[in-house]
Structure formats: structure tokens, C-alpha cells
Amino acid sequence: MSKNRELLSKIGLRLDGRRADELRRIRCKLGVFTEPDGSAYLEQGLTKILAAVYGPHQVRGNRSKAQHDAAVVNCQFSMAVFSTGERKRRPRGDRKSTEISIHLRQALTAAIKTELYPWSQIDVYVEVLHADGGIYPACVNAATLALIDAGIPLKEYVCACTASLANNDVPMLDISHQEEIIGGPTLTVAALPMSGKIVLMEMSQRFHVDHLQKVLEKALQGCRDIKHILDEAVKSHIQDVGSSTGWANTT
Amino acid sequence: MFTTKSFIKKNKVGNYLKHVREHYIRDDIACGLQECESCFPVESFLSPDHENKCALFEFNHYIILDTNVILDQMDILEESILGNVIILHTVLKEVKHRSLPMYKRLYNIIDNPSRHFYVFINDHHKGTYLQQKEAELVNDYNDRCIRAACSWYINHAPKCRFIFLTDDSANRAKALQENIQSLSVSDYITNLNNNSSLTDKLSRKDYHAKDAAKDVFPNHLTNVELLTGIREGRLLQGTFRASRDNFLEGFVSVDSYEDQIIVQGRAGLNRAVDGDTVALELFREDDWVCPSDIVLEDEGVEDENVDDVISKENELKRETKKKRGAKPTGRVVGIIRRKWRQYCGILQGGIDGVYQLFVPADKSIPKIRVETRQAEFLRTQKLIVTIDSWPKHSRYPHGHFVRALGKIGDQSTENEVILLEHDVPHSQFSEEVLACLPKMPWIITDDDVTKRVDLRHLDICSVDPPGCTDIDDALHCRPIDPEKLEVGVHIADVSHFIRPGTPLDREAASRATTVYLVNNRIDMVPELLSSNLCSLRGGEERFAFSCIWEMDHNANILNVRFHKSIIKSRKAMTYEEAQLIIDDKTKQDSVAESLRNLNKLAKIMKQRRLANGALVLASPEVKIQMDSETMEPLDVEVKKLFETNSMIEEFMLQANISVAEKILEVFPDCAMLRRHPVPPSLNFDPLVKAGRHLGFEIKVDSGKNLAKSLDEAIKKDNPYLNTMFRILATRCMLQAVYFASGAFQKEDYYHYGLAVPLYTHFTSPIRRYADIIVHRLLAVICGSDATYPDLLDKKKTTDLCQNLNYRNRMAQYAGRASIAFNTHLFFKGKLQDEEGYVLYVRKNALQILIPRYGLECTLFLARKGETSNIFEYNEEDQTQKAGDVVLHAFDPVVVRLTLDSNNIQHEKFVLQLVKPVVDNFSVPGIDQTDDNDKKRKSPEPDKKKRKKKKH
């Protein structure tokens, strides 16, 4: 099936009707739970993520992990049994989720001002409700929102996005599950879009050097676009919260 | 806007999975009409200036097509009369899903600006997207989408008029209800002004004979029945191959069976056409038959009468009702997928009226009934016809005329037919491609000199067949110290001129090889490159890719290096010239010296290679001498071989092997190599059997043993016997193929024929695309070029290999077909006695090989369908016996050769036995006094026989 399927039709539309440089629809909500210190729900296309942040609080469990000059960021990634087409029990701590957890911590540590909270710990829990490609980037984006909701000081937003090559020529953004299966290599980038720093980059297969630059460029553009969307969401959330306290009316 | 589609699909393991996909609905999709002001302007070929003139409408209009129109009436669409056609995306997707070739043809039309086609993406458009209803069939849903899009267009552009063409009457009725003007294609086309040429091309799917017509064929099962039958194992699925000699017999290759399954008779074949994927029902073992040895031809009658077929069927039944040697037999119960394509052929003469019978050139395809009003004219032409349908009440499939190629018997027409039948791309190079060529005059710049090794001082020369203009290899050899020789093979640096990704590169990749016909050459690259800039002509400075060995005098390679270079060939020689120079001891110049050294080394190398088990195979190759003015064949002769032929071959082999080792070392994943698979032992059966009858044991367990036993199969009284064995052995072989190294296990890289573990093609980049790829890989290794993505992509390379293999095979067949045609031309009106050898013994015929012309023909021992009362067939020993004359396989015979031109399309040689003499059967030689000394070598029993007769 994959052979005679082209990712980008000659008319310039992808299989789901997007153009090459378009993100999937992103919808998000902050403060979805009351129990955690911060929480967020994010939909990127059909990929749906819940993120919850606890802390900063005292280091629990193994005290020796505590650092004298920075907070410990602890990430835990899990997928719901019903998140994919096939119902499957996914024990915590399997290879894939451990890997994603570590990558999440790497991306988030780069954005959080950890030096403000020595001897303490920040927990980030991420749960995938529906997986449809681009799980890791969606997790990063959701976690960013949850951190903002928790009021933890960040250097800037950390956003992530995937990009790939269509027909071995045109770079395309935000790869869905279907495209992941059919297509070639996928590049995942997590970046600090305002300063343009890349905090994590991963390739599913080898890219040829000639292609890498333009795909990376495209992925970074995606991160910047996502940042705008998240920014809007945060602003409107603040406005909602503010107006319910009567703060918005003071101006 | 955003919506989701969800559907349930079965995965490979057999679980049913629910898939949910996003489906975006957009507001930025344009209608493509130039007149429209509300839509976002977009590139569109639709033009208000183009006029569709149909007598039914007095206004100009746009046409919207239904899927069935595109699938069935592509030949009409390809005519440039229809324009301003809107193709809906729903339709496009359906076409792609149903038939990829049709999709490609459709896209060719869409891409052509002068045709004014436009693709409207209705399924992502805000105004035309419809949600599929629950339990709605996909077809109904698509029809609904198409009608919705039509209505949208009508409302969107009230000033324009739209006509919806569909052959589905239900859809048409619904469209009319929704106020969409719609018509069937045949109504539209017949009312089109200036339609003369189009009506012939209408697909005749809706053709119905008188209802009273008797069914000629049994019904096909429905799709559902077929699928359940296959799943439950009651039916088998396989590819149908029609027999070339017997129109009532075919074979189905099924994966799960080792043997091909026989299908016989009208009901057994049940309208399957060569290449179709069919469903098959296997008979009980009692009803199995054995393959027939007889030849049956369909004479082709005007009406639907099938009496003659029935009589032939009975004859066939008699023939094959034997208990012994019965093979699995079955009957076709349904067609899973048709593999119909376009067929070349001619009209059968002697039929009046609009219905004509078309006789395809390919004998495995049945005759086709076509409707035409220009039969008189078409009878003189070669034409292309395609099949539309094959209803059960019709003896022949129904088709329609596509186009005429030219007069029958013209050489240009025949060449065209050969090229078309073998799918050889042979159009002129496009402007785009020619633009990639270097500007003339071409000069070597200083920059080039610094990047290459200057070898202009070396005495390099090339040796090629006479008349060769695309010289891609040259050699040199010089002593560097008393113990060592330096040998260089210099190959034209084509990859310097053909850069990856350019239109020129894409064109060359698609052509894959240069095709040699007898009087024509279809170049892979434009002539400027093939015959000039890349051709290593004598006395001119050229770029080359050099492979240079240091060898000792025993031809052991001490080391090897590769680099790009500049060379100046001293002389371009033919094999004959080179041979003369080597033999002429008075010549002592450096070129002569180096040729002698090369020759000496080559002999050692060949010896060593043969000792390793390389096979020496033979196939009768002939060359046709053409009259340069009339382009008529003057003579047919077997190619002469000189020692220098094998000298060049030896060094080319060595270069290829060295390069293969190098590129595999650096690119273990994506090196383009060539492998020759070991043939399955079953393939050797005819060879082993033939050997056994003659008292030789041919060992086939390994290449080495095969080579050895072939060498030993010599009979004093029949010097040609050994060659016959080698010819038979050649036919047992599989084709050598290109592959990407990552796609196979290391042990499968083996080249059986050459007996080397690694092989590739490096030495003919002018005429083979594989060599260009290998050059590029090697250039990367030498550091003189950079990689590019596709070069390192294993999958891309594999895909490329597939195309190369296909084209190579086709080019080979085309070349043979061309030679066969010209041989026929040469023999026209001639009557000749020739020496030949029996290749196979069949039940009613002998297969005779005539080495002088490389011909293989059938000598019928009995009339078609009759068993001979003169000859007695012994199946066990594979002999035919008449009186005391016994004919074995490989026996020499003398036959009279004439060309039977009754059937213009299949001119065939008619053989008559001259020697050995058989009463009431053989004919006397034309020229008994002919003192051709070859003829005296006729075998012993023959002489005896003749003496007897004289007494």
C-alpha cells in the first residue's frame, strides 16, 4: 500500500487535506484538574494528551537525588490502554516510555529555571489518551502549558514539532500516524523558539545531509507556530482566570 | 474545518482494527474557472476560449466526468478534441484505486496545458464535502459526492454551463433529477461535431447482441463467491498464461502448487486472457489430463458460430485423455483482475461490415472483435486495439480501435510495433532533456585538468565491433618494471555529463538501456553524448573513469586503483584490425606491444576463470548485413569472433569485478550489483534428458560440474553437438539481474554464469544506466564527487533495479524480434536448403535449429491436428521413427526453407525435410549437384538409405 501512495498529491495536499507546511489543528486548555499544581490538556490533530505538574516540593523517595543548586525534574510518561487502535496493556517503565520520559526531562529542564529551587523536585506526569502520531512533541507542548499553569518560572516556552520529507523532496510539518507509517524518516525537534535554541533533536532514520537543513528549518518554523498558538491559549486562560476574579475589569 | 473519518480494517495478523483519520475541510480551494472572481486565483488550465462543440447543446460548456468514463473511455479522452474538463478529486482517487495505469495516463492529460483539464479537490472543499452516511456503499457515496460537486459548480458559476458525463444510468437519472445536465459518453461523442475519428474509439462495453444469442461461455462467479471460495480453499488464485500454439489451452501458475495447472477448452479457459489473475477450480484427479503437444489455431469466423471450436475441443480431448503423465487440471470460474493492455496487430481479411476481427501480433491473445467504419483503410495498416469487455454470449472479446501505426510490412512500422510491444520508450528527447547537455564546442578547462589524472601521454586504444559509434571502453598496458605490468581500463565518464536529478538523468533512468534494432538504435542518452562527447574516439581528448591494475606476468592482480582521468585514445580499432595487429609480427610500436601483452594476460585470465567453473554458453547470434540505401537485408551471417573479442571481454569482466568489490566494501547497503541466481535443478531437466539419450551424463549439481560435463560432451561425428548442448544449457539459465546489495544476503550475490562471488556493470555507461550509478558510487569513493540522497537509499536503488531489469529484458526481446523480422524479410521469396539440427522432438513436429541463420523453426511431421502415419513417436526415447530412419534430438538434418507469407502478421518458415530421406515425406534437395562440402557430412544411416533407394 505504501508504494503507490504519495504523501503529497500533485495538487499539493496531503492525505488528510493539509498543505505541506500546515500544522494539525491544535486545541488546548489549561487548568483542567484542581488537585495538581498545574495541568493542561492538549489536542494536536487526533493526538490527545493530559499533563499534570506537581511541585516544586521536597524531594521524595531517594533523598540523595536532591541537588544543592537546582530542582530535580521528574517526568513520567504513560499511554492509556485505549490510546491506540488495538487495546493493549502498557506497563509503566517499558523501554519506549522510559525513553520518552528521559527525553521529556531533557527538554523541560532546558526551559525551567531550576536554579531557583535548590533541594526540591518538580514532577511532570503526562498521559496519552489518543495516539495519532507525533506523541512526543504533543507531550512537550502539553507539559509546557501545565508548567505555566503551575506557575513555575520558565526561561521561555519549550515547543516541539516533527517534520519529514514528502516524495523525497518537499519538507512537511507535523506528521500524523498515517504519514509516519508510509513515509520516510521523521525528524523530531524540541526547541526554545524565541531564542532559537534546539534542546532535543531525534531522527527515526537517516536523513541525507542535503535534506537535513531544510527539514530542520521546517521543524523550527513549526515550533515557532506552535509557540504562538500556546501563547494565545495562555493569554486567554489568564484572561478567563483574571476576569473571574474581577481583575480584568480594573483596566 | 475539521472532521474525522473512521473505518474498520483488517490488519495482517487478522485482527480487526478501528482506524480514525483526520480529514480537513478547507476554504481555500479554487474552482479553477478563469471567469470566476470569488475564488482565490490559482493556476488552472481551464480556458474560456476552448470550445466543446456538441450538437446537443448550442452553448459552450465545461465537462465533468464520472469515474467509469475515465476508466473505460481513456482513448477518447486522450484525443485532443475534448477540453475544459473538470476532474473531481473523488474521481481521481477512485481511478487511482481501481487502475494505476489509467491514473498515470489521466495525469499525463491533466499535466498538458493545451488540454485544459483541471482537478477540483471536492472532498476537502467546504461547499462540496459530504459525510458518508451510515451503511452507505462507497460507490453510492462517491456518486453522491460527484453530483454534489456538479450542483456546486452550477450554483457557483451561473454564467457557465456544465455537462456531466457518466455511463452509469442510475447515476445519470439521479443527476437529472438534481437538475444537472448529464449524458452518456456515446451520446455525447456521437453528437460531437467533427467526431469522425472518435466514434471508432468508443469503448464497447454496452454492446449487446440479440438476446436470443446462445451463451458461448459459462457464467463467471460473482466477486463475493470468488473471494469466499478462495478463502475457504475451494478455489485457487493464480496468473493465467495462454499457450501460444494452442488457443484452447492455457496454464495457471498458483503459488501453492509446484506445477502449473492446466486449463483446457472453451469452458475451461472461460474468457481468461493472457496475464489475467483468475480464480480456478481444480478437478478431481480422475479428470486430470496431460498437456497437449498439438498445435491448434483459431481460424476466426465472422459470426458467433462455435461449431468449429467444438470440433477442435473434441480433438483436444482425445489427445489429452491419457492416464499417464496427467497433471493437475482445472477450469477458470472467474476473473479476479484483468491485465488487459493495448495490443498491436492487424485486421483479419475477408470480413465485410462494421464488425471486424482483429488479430493480435501476440499469439497468446485471442482475436478481438472491433467496430469500425474505415475497415478498408485499416486493413492495410498495423493497428493498436484494446479490449473492452468479453460477454459470455460472444465468441471473441469486444474491443475498440486506438490508433494506426502505419502500413503493414514497412520497416518503420515494424520497428514501431516491436518497440511498442516491448514497451521501449522511443520518443524524441524532450527540450527539457536536451537543455541539460553541455554547450558546444566543448573544451577541457584547466579546472578539469586539475581535478583529473592526466593520462594523455599513455598509448590507449579501443577495440570495438565495426561501425560502433558509442565507444565506452579503451585499454592500455605498459611494463612498469621487469616483473610488473600496468593495465588500465578506461571507461567513458558519462556521469560527469549526466548529473543526478536532472531531467536528462531521469530520462536515462527510465530508458535504462540503449536498444539495438537491426537498422536502428534507440539511445539511452542523446546522441551528442553517446556518439561524441562520451565516445572515446581515436585521437580525441576525452574524460574517462580509469581502473588501473598492477599485474605480474601471470595476470595476478597486485593492486588496483580507480580515478577519473583525461585520456587520448591513439586509435579506435575493430576486433579484426586489432587481431591483425597482434598477428602481424612486423609491427613493433607501442600499441601493438600493449595489445600483445593484453592478449597474453587475457588468455591466462580466461583459463583461470574457466577453471573456477565459469560457464561457456552459446546462443546462435547473427548479424544482418543491410543495404545502406534501400535498407533491405542483404545477408544474414553468424557473428565472427576473434581472439580480441575475448580479450576485451576478459578485461571488462575483471574491471567489473574489481569495481564490485570496491563499491560493496564502502557501500554495503546500497551498492548496485548484478547477480545471476543458481537455476533450480528442475530447469535442467531437458538438458539432462537430452544428454542421457545420447549417452552423456550432464551433472548439474554445481556450476563447475556443469561446465566440466559440457566440455566432455563431444561426439566426433557431430562437431556441432557440443554447441547444441551449450545452447540448451543457456536456455536452462535464469536471467541475471541488478540488485541493491542491502536487499539480499551475501551468499545470494553470487554470479552463477561467471562463477564469481561479486559482479556489477561498470564498463558501458553510455548504453546502460546501471553503470552510471556504479560510476557515481565509485566517484564518491575516489572523492571526486558527492553523494546525493537517492544514491544512498536502499529502497530507491531497489526500485531503480526493478526498472532496469525490466527494461533490459524487454530490450533483449526487442532486439531478437527485430532480427527475426529482418531474417524473414531476407528470406522473402527465397527457397533454400539448409543444414540444421534437431533441437527437440515433439509429438507431431521436430524443433529444428539452423545455426547459419540462428533460426529455430518447427518441422511438422503431420498436418495440424493429425497424427502422422509415417512417423512413429517414441515418448520414452524422444525419437521419431519412420521406416528405418530414426530421428533423435541433436541429429543433423537438411531442410528446405521457405517463408510462408499467407499470414502477414506471423510470417513463418515452412520446413520440409530433405535429408534424411523418408519416403512419401521428404522432398528432394533443390540442387542435388550442389557441391557444398558441408553437405557431405550427412550421417551414416542417411547414406545407406539413399544407396538403398538407388538400387
Side-chain angles (χ1 to χ4, degrees), chain A residues 100-116:
Chain A
I100 294 189
S101 301
I102 293 168
H103 286 169
L104 261 180
R105 189 172 71 205
Q106 190 184 339
L108 298 181
T109 323
I112 301 172
K113 294 198 165 189
T114 46
E115 66 275 15
L116 297 180

Side-chain angles (χ1 to χ4, degrees), chain A residues 61-248:
Chain A
N62 191 353
R63 290 278 172 110
S64 60
K65 268 197 280 182
Q67 292 171 343
H68 69 94
D69 57 348
V72 178
V73 178
N74 171 35
C75 290
Q76 214 149 79
F77 167 91
S78 58
M79 282 176 91
V81 284
F82 48 80
S83 61
T84 53
E86 213 171 353
R87 196 182 162 87
K88 198 164 144 194
R89 276 205 57 80
R90 292 161 208 282
R92 258 196 5 196
D94 63 341
R95 249 178 69 96
K96 185 182 160 198
S97 55
T98 322
E99 186 186 346
I100 294 189
S101 301
I102 293 168
H103 286 169
L104 261 180
R105 189 172 71 205
Q106 190 184 339
L108 298 181
T109 323
I112 301 172
K113 294 198 165 189
T114 46
E115 66 275 15
L116 297 180
Y117 305 102
W119 303 110
S120 50
Q121 172 180 354
I122 299 169
D123 293 321
V124 182
Y125 295 93
V126 191
E127 172 94 19
V128 179
L129 300 182
H130 189 156
D132 186 39
I135 301 173
Y136 174 76
C139 289
V140 172
N141 299 336
T144 311
L145 289 180
L147 285 172
I148 291 170
D149 187 45
I152 293 171
L154 300 179
K155 292 176 190 137
E156 58 175 288
Y157 285 93
V158 51
C159 300
C161 189
T162 52
S164 175
L165 265 188
N167 310 340
N168 242 327
D169 185 33
V170 191
M172 58 180 194
L173 204 55
D174 201 2
I175 309 307
S176 72
H177 180 61
Q178 193 189 10
E179 289 166 332
E180 264 176 14
I181 296 171
I182 302 171
T186 309
L187 176 77
T188 308
V189 168
L192 305 177
M194 287 153 90
S195 55
K197 285 179 192 150
I198 295 174
V199 292
L200 181 128
M201 189 164 126
E202 193 196 10
M203 295 187 285
S204 65
Q205 295 166 43
R206 281 194 300 179
F207 269 96
H208 194 271
V209 194
D210 294 2
H211 292 323
L212 189 59
Q213 192 54 35
K214 57 183 179 188
V215 177
L216 181 60
E217 213 60 62
K218 191 56 84 175
L220 285 177
Q221 181 59 45
C223 291
R224 282 193 287 275
D225 293 346
I226 291 173
K227 186 235 146 193
H228 283 297
I229 295 168
L230 299 189
D231 204 30
E232 284 303 309
V234 170
K235 279 179 185 155
S236 86
H237 175 69
I238 304 285
Q239 215 159 39
D240 284 352
V241 175
S243 60
S244 65
T245 60
W247 158 70

